């Protein structure tokens, strides 16, 4: 009996398109019931048992950084990474890439570390926390989103710098109103009220007038 030749491997499908931050991902629908796993941060960028290398690249293709990652950690948290890894496994490649801007690079690194640690540093800068949260939402890393959210909600409104307040208020409406971001955005509105509760007094300061003029219309209408 003659043996049949093996069927050719199917061509790998295209990797999933990077989701837009203007859409509400599954990560945005996370809640306080999220279960946190043990701290795996010692294994981040550790070649031992790593099955992929993940590059952070610019939109033009320039590589910013490369890390050893573990598929089970990323795919276990994110539908986006699960799909990405399935496509690359079909192709036999062990190289992955995420496109980020140079401005997003610190947040991207923080996001990957948080995916392993299942937490964020207690002393993390609020503006960096928000940038990490937005990027983690884009790539559906729900545990990272919840960790950033919890820490931001633990801050007093006065701890939010004006740049962070504006960044929150300028998020796309779908993201601002999602379950993950809504309560954090409300903290930004509380900060605005704290600054401009007495508008006549605030208007006497040149810096306060500049801050007022930087507010989105929706924030002004809520005062």
């Amino acid at each position: 009996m003659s043996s049949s030749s093996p069927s050719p491997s199917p061509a790998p499908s295209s990797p999933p398109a990077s989701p837009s931050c203007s859409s509400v991902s599954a990560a945005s629908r996370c809640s306080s019931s999220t279960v946190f796993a043990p701290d795996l941060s010692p294994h981040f960028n550790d070649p031992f048992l790593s099955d992929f290398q993940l590059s952070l690249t610019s939109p033009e293709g320039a590589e910013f950084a490369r890390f050893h990652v573990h598929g089970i950690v990323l795919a276990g948290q994110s539908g986006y990474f699960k799909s990405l890894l399935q496509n690359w496994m079909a192709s036999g490649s062990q190289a992955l890439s995420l496109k980020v801007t140079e401005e997003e690079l610190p947040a991207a690194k923080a996001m990957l570390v948080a995916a392993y640690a299942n937490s964020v540093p207690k002393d993390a800068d609020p503006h960096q926390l928000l940038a990490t949260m937005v990027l983690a939402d884009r790539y559906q890393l729900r545990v990272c989103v919840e960790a950033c959210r919890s820490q931001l909600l633990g801050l007093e409104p006065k701890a939010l710098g004006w740049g962070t307040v504006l960044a929150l208020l300028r998020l796309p409406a779908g993201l601002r109103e999602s379950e993950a971001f809504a309560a954090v955005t409300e903290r930004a509105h509380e900060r605005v009220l704290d600054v401009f509760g007495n508008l006549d007094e605030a208007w006497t300061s040149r810096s306060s007038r500049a801050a007022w003029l930087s507010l989105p219309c929706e924030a002004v209408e809520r005062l």
Side-chain angles (χ1 to χ4, degrees), residues 1 9 26 31 41 47 68 73 104 112 119 125 139-141 151 158 165-166 172 190 211:
M1 182 185 300
S9 301
S31 68
S41 57
H68 294 281
V73 175
E104 292 173 327
L112 293 172
S119 63
D125 175 75
Y139 291 114
Q140 301 173 11
L141 285 165
Q151 188 144 321
K158 289 183 178 180
V165 169
L166 291 178
E190 292 174 16

Side-chain angles (χ1 to χ4, degrees), residues 58-184:
S58 72
E60 296 75 30
E63 185 176 81
F64 291 129
R66 180 179 295 195
F67 304 101
H68 294 281
V69 297
H70 304 75
I72 193 170
V73 175
L74 299 179
Q77 296 184 39
S78 163
Y80 174 84
F81 275 104
K82 182 177 181 180
S83 179
L84 184 69
L85 289 164
Q86 285 174 335
N87 288 330
W88 256 262
M89 287 175 69
S91 71
S93 172
Q94 292 183 304
L96 309 171
S97 66
L98 291 184
K99 292 191 182 300
V100 296
T101 65
E102 190 169 1
E103 183 182 22
E104 292 173 327
L105 186 57
K109 292 178 180 178
M111 174 188 74
L112 293 172
V113 173
Y116 277 75
N118 295 290
S119 63
V120 290
K122 297 294 184 185
D123 59 349
D125 175 75
H127 198 73
Q128 183 65 46
L129 280 173
L130 177 59
T132 302
M133 185 178 177
V134 170
L135 204 60
D137 179 82
R138 182 192 303 174
Y139 291 114
Q140 301 173 11
L141 285 165
R142 59 186 184 275
V143 174
C144 180
V145 169
E146 179 60 21
C148 293
R149 173 184 179 273
S150 296
Q151 188 144 321
L152 284 168
L153 288 178
L155 299 172
E156 292 294 327
K158 289 183 178 180
L160 296 177
W162 197 248
T164 307
V165 169
L166 291 178
L168 276 164
L169 297 177
R170 291 170 178 170
L171 288 174
L175 202 56
R176 264 197 334 267
E177 297 164 6
S178 67
E179 184 177 349
F181 285 83
V184 180

